[in-house]
């Protein structure tokens, strides 16, 4: 019964999930001309993971949504 109260956000990402997020992240680093170890890159990664957990599981859609946000705060 408790399972119905758990959202997908509460489940860990598996290696396939992380691979997809990594590809979106790598594409955005190139598109936005960001260094991998920059604060902006950390924000991009966090946004990708959050969107993925919210149900966006398409690599291109993730890149579009995060890239459209400029990848920066």
């Amino acid at each position: 019964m408790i399972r119905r109260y758990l959202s997908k956000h509460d489940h860990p990402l598996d290696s396939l999930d992380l691979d997809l997020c990594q590809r979106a992240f790598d594409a955005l680093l190139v598109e936005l001309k960001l260094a991998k170890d920059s604060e902006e890159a950390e924000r991009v990664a966090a946004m990708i993971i959050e969107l993925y957990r919210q149900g966006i599981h398409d690599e291109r859609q993730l890149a579009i949504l995060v890239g459209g946000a400029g990848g920066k705060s």
Side-chain angles (χ1 to χ4, degrees), residues 2-4 6 13-15 23-24 26 29 34-36 43 47 49 55-56 60 62 69-71 73:
I2 191 139
R3 287 185 189 268
R4 72 179 180 186
L6 294 174
L13 301 179
D14 65 24
S15 63
R23 288 191 305 271
D26 291 339
L29 288 183
L34 297 175
K36 197 171 196 169
R43 284 192 282 276
M47 288 192 297
I49 296 296
I56 310 295
R60 286 189 60 194
L62 287 167
S73 300

Side-chain angles (χ1 to χ4, degrees), residues 1-65:
M1 182 163 113
I2 191 139
R3 287 185 189 268
R4 72 179 180 186
Y5 296 107
L6 294 174
S7 72
K8 283 191 97 172
H9 307 300
D10 298 328
H11 297 280
L13 301 179
D14 65 24
S15 63
L16 294 176
D17 300 327
L18 292 173
D19 287 344
L20 186 144
C21 291
Q22 182 69 53
R23 288 191 305 271
F25 175 73
D26 291 339
L28 276 166
L29 288 183
V30 171
E31 179 184 325
L32 298 173
K33 298 178 179 129
L34 297 175
K36 197 171 196 169
D37 60 349
S38 68
E39 286 185 33
E40 292 87 2
E42 287 182 27
R43 284 192 282 276
V44 165
M47 288 192 297
I48 289 170
I49 296 296
E50 182 58 31
L51 287 170
Y52 190 88
R53 287 179 171 243
Q54 289 179 18
I56 310 295
H57 295 164
D58 179 84
E59 180 181 332
R60 286 189 60 194
Q61 189 68 28
L62 287 167
I64 289 167
L65 290 170

